[in-house]
């Protein structure tokens, strides 16, 4: 496989996305115990590679939907960090008015059409968005982010079947982190089954690779996006990766026994950001000084997002009914 990112702008943008996603989530983890972020929070630390690589191949007119583990997808699509942090702090300036929290992110300005907490819930929504793009004859596509666990939901099969049947411009991006909460793939699916092969058997053009290798992921996404843009129908991309922290929350949990410290350490060796920096050092104009300057710049934005969130007001109680459907909704 040709593994090149020869577009300098893409190199810089991917690097900035990696720093933004990692450092913002590390800050969430560092401050979570203060009790000001009162929603369940699923971190993507260790899994930043795939969304960062895909981010530069999409425009604001392309759509994306996501899951409970949505921060990386929202930020990669260009979602506003201030509105995301305000949402996590439960503030009125949050992207869902402070009523949704970490799992309910949305930024329609950049085509991020929402994330929800029910596993498999946004898969048919994303396919519906792709149907709308096709019916309007738009030259755009929809990204449906999902975990390995979501491929065990009926909604995945119904949605994939429909997408294939109607040849829709949708790319299913499966971040296979080997676990659904505390249960490993080997306890949930038959031995030797490959998720991308299963997707292929439904009729999805399928790709598979190392999600912690940003350059390889970029190449795979380029092929998938080209396949769709040439009118060849939907794609499925399975990228292997690993979450470093507990399923939900800021802590490490290797000690509780569902996975081993050794497994964690093996994946940490395959860390996506250091690998990408090394590749850039060897293959691009960018150097360690550029990395430090970019990272400092990103961290200023992260500081601003936390400041904005903590200084924003909570939603007023009387606005509650604005977000709840009722017979009296329009009174
Ligand atoms: C329909 C449904 N079943 C179960 C749950 C509880 N649950 C929340 S996250 C999760 C794990 C999903 O695993 P995966 O899709 O691999 O995503 P990951 O957490 O690994 O990113 C489960 C079972 C839920 N939210 N919705
Ligand atoms: Mg998983």
């Amino acid at each position: 496989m040709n593994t090149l990112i020869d577009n300098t702008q893409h190199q810089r943008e991917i690097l900035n996305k990696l720093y933004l996603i990692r450092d913002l989530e590390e800050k969430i983890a560092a401050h979570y115990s203060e009790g000001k972020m009162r929603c369940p929070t699923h971190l993507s630390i260790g899994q930043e590679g795939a969304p960062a690589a895909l981010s530069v191949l999409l425009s604001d007119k392309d759509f994306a939907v996501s899951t409970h583990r949505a921060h990386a997808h929202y930020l990669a699509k260009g979602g506003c960090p201030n509105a995301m942090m305000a949402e996590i702090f439960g503030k009125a300036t949050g992207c869902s008015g402070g009523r949704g929290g970490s799992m309910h992110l949305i930024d329609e300005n950049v085509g991020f059409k929402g994330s929800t907490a029910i596993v498999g819930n946004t898969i048919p929504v994303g396919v519906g968005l792709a149907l709308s793009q096709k019916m309007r004859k738009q030259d755009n596509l929809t990204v449906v982010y999902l975990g390995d666990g979501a491929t065990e939901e009926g909604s995945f099969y119904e949605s994939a079947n429909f997408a294939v049947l109607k040849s829709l411009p949708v790319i299913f991006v499966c971040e296979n982190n080997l676990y659904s909460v505390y249960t490993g793939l080997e306890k949930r699916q038959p031995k030797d089954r490959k998720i991308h092969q299963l997707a292929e058997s439904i009729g999805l053009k399928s790709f598979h690779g190392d999600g912690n290798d940003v350059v390889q992921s970029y190449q795979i996404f380029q092929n998938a996006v080209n396949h769709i843009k040439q009118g060849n129908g939907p794609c499925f991309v399975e990228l292997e990766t690993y979450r470093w922290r507990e399923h939900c929350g800021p802590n490490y949990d290797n000690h509780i026994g569902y996975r081993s410290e050794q497994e964690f350490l093996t994946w940490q060796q395959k860390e996506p950001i250091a690998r990408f920096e090394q590749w850039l050092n060897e293959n691009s104009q960018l150097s360690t000084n550029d990395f430090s300057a970019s990272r400092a710049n990103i961290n200023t934005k992260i500081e601003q997002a936390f400041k904005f969130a903590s200084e924003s007001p909570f939603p007023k109680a009387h606005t509650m009914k604005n977000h709840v459907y009722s017979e009296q909704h329009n009174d």
Side-chain angles (χ1 to χ4, degrees):
M1 182 184 291
N2 171 18
T3 51
L4 280 178
I5 305 178
D6 49 12
N7 180 323
T8 314
Q9 188 60 25
H10 284 188
Q11 294 169 357
R12 282 186 183 280
E13 285 178 26
I14 291 173
L15 190 65
N16 283 334
K17 290 291 184 196
L18 289 168
Y19 291 151
L20 175 64
I21 298 165
R22 168 69 59 87
D23 292 353
L24 189 144
E25 285 207 324
E26 287 286 4
K27 199 168 168 74
I28 292 174
H31 291 277
Y32 196 75
S33 64
E34 292 165 11
K36 292 183 179 160
M37 295 175 257
R38 299 288 293 273
C39 53
T41 303
H42 305 75
L43 301 177
S44 289
I45 296 171
Q47 301 190 189
E48 303 90 346
L54 177 56
S55 66
V56 295
L57 301 172
L58 304 175
S59 83
D60 290 350
K61 292 211 163 66
D62 294 312
F63 297 145
V65 292
S66 173
T67 67
H68 53 288
R69 200 176 303 286
H71 303 167
H73 308 147
Y74 169 97
L75 293 170
K77 193 70 179 67
C80 172
N82 288 18
M84 177 178 129
M85 284 319 306
E87 189 56 42
I88 295 174
F89 274 74
K91 299 299 182 73
T93 51
C95 57
S96 293
R99 307 213 188 263
S102 158
M103 294 186 281
H104 298 95
L105 303 180
I106 185 163
D107 190 338
E108 298 226 65
N109 293 328
V110 293
F112 190 83
K113 292 292 205 176
S115 64
T116 63
I118 307 300
V119 174
N121 204 6
T122 47
I123 301 173
V125 174
V127 168
L129 288 165
L131 177 64
S132 78
Q133 289 169 318
K134 181 159 186 172
M135 289 173 74
R136 292 181 177 134
K137 302 195 185 333
Q138 294 167 338
D139 182 28
N140 296 106
L141 57 83
T142 297
V143 179
V144 174
Y145 284 105
L146 67 158
D148 47 298
T151 64
E152 291 150 15
E153 294 289 340
S155 63
F156 170 67
Y157 297 91
E158 297 169 39
S159 305
N161 179 62
F162 189 76
V164 172
L165 185 71
K166 299 290 180 187
S167 192
L168 299 182
V170 57
I171 169 168
F172 300 93
V173 178
C174 177
E175 291 173 326
N176 181 355
N177 63 8
L178 309 178
Y179 290 91
S180 172
V181 192
Y182 301 133
T183 312
L185 254 180
E186 75 289 351
K187 296 199 177 75
R188 303 178 352 242
Q189 298 197 16
K191 194 167 172 287
D192 297 333
R193 176 191 285 164
K194 301 285 179 220
I195 294 175
H196 61 278
Q197 287 173 353
L198 191 141
E200 186 87 40
S201 73
I202 300 171
L204 294 163
K205 171 75 181 164
S206 294
F207 303 85
H208 173 235
D210 177 354
N212 285 12
D213 181 336
V214 171
V215 184
Q216 190 188 115
S217 301
Y218 175 88
Q219 192 72 37
I220 289 173
F221 283 131
Q222 261 193 333
N223 290 336
V225 168
N226 286 342
H227 176 92
I228 293 172
K229 297 254 164 166
Q230 285 160 8
N232 297 320
C235 290
F236 185 91
V237 175
E238 178 191 359
L239 291 170
E240 281 168 28
T241 186
Y242 200 75
R243 85 173 137 72
W244 290 10
R245 306 290 174 123
E246 59 193 329
H247 166 69
C248 179
N251 302 309
Y252 291 96
D253 69 351
N254 304 329
H255 59 285
I256 67 175
Y258 72 99
R259 61 185 194 178
S260 69
E261 183 76 9
Q262 190 49 49
E263 181 182 274
F264 168 78
L265 292 173
T266 306
W267 278 94
Q268 225 179 16
Q269 293 293 315
K270 299 193 272 186
E271 201 272 327
I273 300 180
R275 279 168 84 185
F276 188 54
E277 287 174 338
Q278 189 184 342
W279 183 86
L280 289 171
N281 260 326
E282 290 165 7
N283 296 282
S284 81
Q285 310 280 322
L286 298 175
S287 66
T288 310
N289 284 347
D290 298 305
F291 304 160
S292 321
S294 296
R295 202 157 192 166
N297 192 25
I298 293 289
N299 272 276
T300 304
K301 290 188 179 137
I302 293 172
E303 287 295 330
Q304 285 165 355
F306 273 73
K307 187 168 187 296
F308 173 80
S310 64
E311 290 176 356
S312 288
F314 284 108
K316 299 273 185 244
H318 71 80
T319 63
M320 176 69 92
K321 73 173 188 174
N322 297 351
H323 301 271
V324 179
Y325 175 79
S326 76
E327 293 288 315
Q328 290 82 38
H329 186 68
N330 295 320
D331 286 357

